[in-house]
Amino acid sequence: MKITQIETIRFGQFPDLIFVQVHTDNGIIGLGETWYAASTVEAAIHDHFGPLLIGRDPSDIEAHWQTIFRLSDHAGYGGAELRALSALDVALWDIKGQALKMPVFEILGGGTRHRIRVYNTLGVYGDITDGHDVWRKPVDVAKSLMDEGIGGMKFSPTDFIARASDGNILFKKQLDRALQPFREIRDAFGMNFEIANDGHAKWNLANAIRIVQEMEELQPMWHEELLSPLNEEAHLRLQQATKTPIAVAERLMTRYQHRRFMESGAARIVMPDLTWTGGISEVKKIAELASGHQLPIAPHDCVGPVNMFACAQICMAMPNVMIMEYNRAMHRGWYGDLIEPNFVVKDGFLMAPTEPGIGTHLKSGIRERADATVRVSNEAREPWLFSRERYTYPPKDIQQEFEQMV
Ligand SMILES: [Mg+2]
C-alpha cells in the first residue's frame, strides 16, 4: 500500500478546524483532524510533511511520526507542525485499522473496556445552551445532565473575571459571585454530582492559590490550568496548596513536556489533547508514562468530532484512563453535519467505536460546500532541511569509508 494524495479540508463556519485525508493506492482514505490556526496547519501539511509521505507505506506509522517530529523539533516542536503531525498520525492509524478491518483499539492491544465514563463540558450551540444556562439555572443544568446519566461537568467560573487584569487581581466579591452556581449545585445534590474547575490558564500563581483554597470546601473533581503550565515548580506549589487534584494539561506537548509535570508531582491527573500533542501514537506513550507514575489520564476534547473517535480508541485500549471529556452541545449541534457515523454516548458513557479504523469518515459532498477550502498534494518531495543537512556530510569517498565500517 502506498500514500498517493494528501488533502486538507476546512470550512468557513469553523475557521479553526481542519481535517486531513490521506489517500492510498488501494482506495482506503484515512481521516485526521486538528484545531487552531488552521491555515498554518494547512501550510505545514502541504509545504513540508505531506509531500514527504507521498509514495510511502502508510503502515509505518511510528517511522513517519519520528521523521516528522525530527523535522519539527530542531525549531521547537510545539506549534502548527505538531498539530499537523497529530492530524496525520490519526489518519495513518485510520488507514491501518481499515486495512486490517478492525477498530484501532483492537490493534493497540485490544479493549481494556468497551465504554468510558464521560463528563460534560458546558457548551453553547443550537438548542443546547449549557454554558449560558449554568449562570442562571445551575441546578437545572446539573439535573438535565444527571437525567442523561452524566454524573459530572466541567465549568470555568473564573475565566471571565480574570480577563480585565490578565489574572493579576482577584476581587473576593467577584469570586463569590462566580462560585455561586457551583455552590447551588452542591446544595441541591451534595457530592452526587462531580464538577471540574477549568481556569484556561488565566491566573497567576498567587491568585490561583487563593481560588483553590476558596474552593476547597466545594470539593471539585479537579482544578485544571488555573495557571498556564509553563513552569512545573509553580504548578507543584499550587498542588501543594490544595487537597483537590491538579489536572495538567491540554497545553503540554508530547511526552517530553508531560514528563516534567509527572516527575515533579505537579500533575495528579494527566490531560493530553490528542490532536495537539502528537496523535494516537503520542497519547498512547503519554498514557504509558503516566501509568509508570501511577497516574490516570483524562483526555481533553472541545476540538472536533474526529478527536472524540481517536480518543475513544485510546480510552478503550489504555487501562489508566479516568474519564473522557465530552461536549453535548457540539455532539448534537454540528458534529453530525460533518461526519458519519457520529459517536455514541449512552447512559453517561462513550461507547467503543465499532467501525474499522477510527470509526468515522467525512460525509460525502461536504468538500463541495460553498465555505470549504480544499487543498491537495499529490507529488512526492523531500523537505528542504534534508538537502541542507547533506551540505554537512563528508565527501562521497569518505562517506563510503564510513559505510564500510559497519
Ligand atoms: Mg481545559
Side-chain angles (χ1 to χ4, degrees), residues 25-70:
D25 59 358
N26 68 359
I28 293 176
I29 301 171
L31 175 64
E33 166 196 278
T34 190
W35 186 90
Y36 191 58
S39 61
T40 317
V41 173
E42 182 186 270
I45 288 174
H46 293 285
D47 298 347
H48 299 282
F49 306 141
L52 178 69
L53 293 175
I54 287 163
R56 297 188 193 256
D57 185 343
S59 306
D60 301 336
I61 301 173
E62 187 67 28
H64 298 320
W65 198 101
Q66 283 299 327
T67 302
I68 293 174
F69 185 68
R70 298 297 285 154

Side-chain angles (χ1 to χ4, degrees), residues 4-235:
T4 53
Q5 180 174 301
I6 298 195
E7 176 184 41
T8 52
I9 306 165
R10 51 195 176 90
F11 301 101
Q13 188 184 2
F14 308 105
D16 280 320
L17 187 65
I18 182 165
F19 296 104
V20 60
Q21 294 203 115
V22 177
H23 296 247
T24 59
D25 59 358
N26 68 359
I28 293 176
I29 301 171
L31 175 64
E33 166 196 278
T34 190
W35 186 90
Y36 191 58
S39 61
T40 317
V41 173
E42 182 186 270
I45 288 174
H46 293 285
D47 298 347
H48 299 282
F49 306 141
L52 178 69
L53 293 175
I54 287 163
R56 297 188 193 256
D57 185 343
S59 306
D60 301 336
I61 301 173
E62 187 67 28
H64 298 320
W65 198 101
Q66 283 299 327
T67 302
I68 293 174
F69 185 68
R70 298 297 285 154
L71 280 166
S72 311
D73 76 341
H74 77 282
Y77 57 82
E81 293 95 334
L82 189 58
R83 295 197 295 285
L85 169 55
S86 305
L88 289 165
D89 178 83
V90 171
L92 294 179
W93 277 104
D94 189 23
I95 291 170
K96 188 181 282 286
Q98 291 181 62
L100 297 174
K101 297 187 168 53
M102 54 178 76
V104 169
F105 74 86
E106 296 285 7
I107 307 166
L108 295 174
T112 60
R113 62 181 72 79
H114 289 84
R115 59 180 199 165
I116 184 84
R117 195 174 281 285
V118 297
Y119 66 94
N120 183 67
T121 286
L122 303 177
V124 176
Y125 195 90
D127 297 338
I128 300 179
T129 51
D130 296 331
H132 289 160
D133 297 344
V134 72
W135 290 100
R136 296 187 200 283
K137 304 174 287 184
V139 173
D140 290 358
V141 172
K143 171 80 168 51
S144 85
L145 289 166
M146 291 165 87
D147 288 346
E148 291 180 18
I150 296 173
M153 70 178 202
K154 185 151 84 188
F155 180 32
S156 305
T158 65
D159 282 21
F160 173 71
I161 58 174
R163 208 153 275 172
S165 73
D166 196 21
N168 286 301
I169 185 162
L170 173 62
F171 295 102
K172 178 71 166 60
K173 261 188 182 171
Q174 288 187 334
L175 180 59
D176 285 346
R177 174 64 186 94
L179 296 181
Q180 195 177 310
F182 210 124
R183 291 202 169 93
E184 286 180 31
I185 294 171
R186 276 283 169 271
D187 289 345
F189 303 118
M191 289 306 298
N192 291 319
F193 188 76
E194 298 282 356
I195 312 176
N197 173 36
D198 190 353
H200 290 113
K202 298 269 191 260
W203 295 102
N204 62 22
L205 177 59
N207 287 327
I209 288 174
R210 284 182 65 200
I211 292 167
V212 299
Q213 292 183 341
E214 189 73 25
M215 292 182 72
E216 202 74 336
E217 58 171 1
L218 295 168
Q219 298 189 55
M221 183 157 58
W222 63 66
H223 292 293
E224 171 182 335
E225 291 193 335
L226 282 171
L227 63 159
S228 193
L230 299 167
N231 179 333
E232 65 270 26
E233 286 296 323
H235 249 86

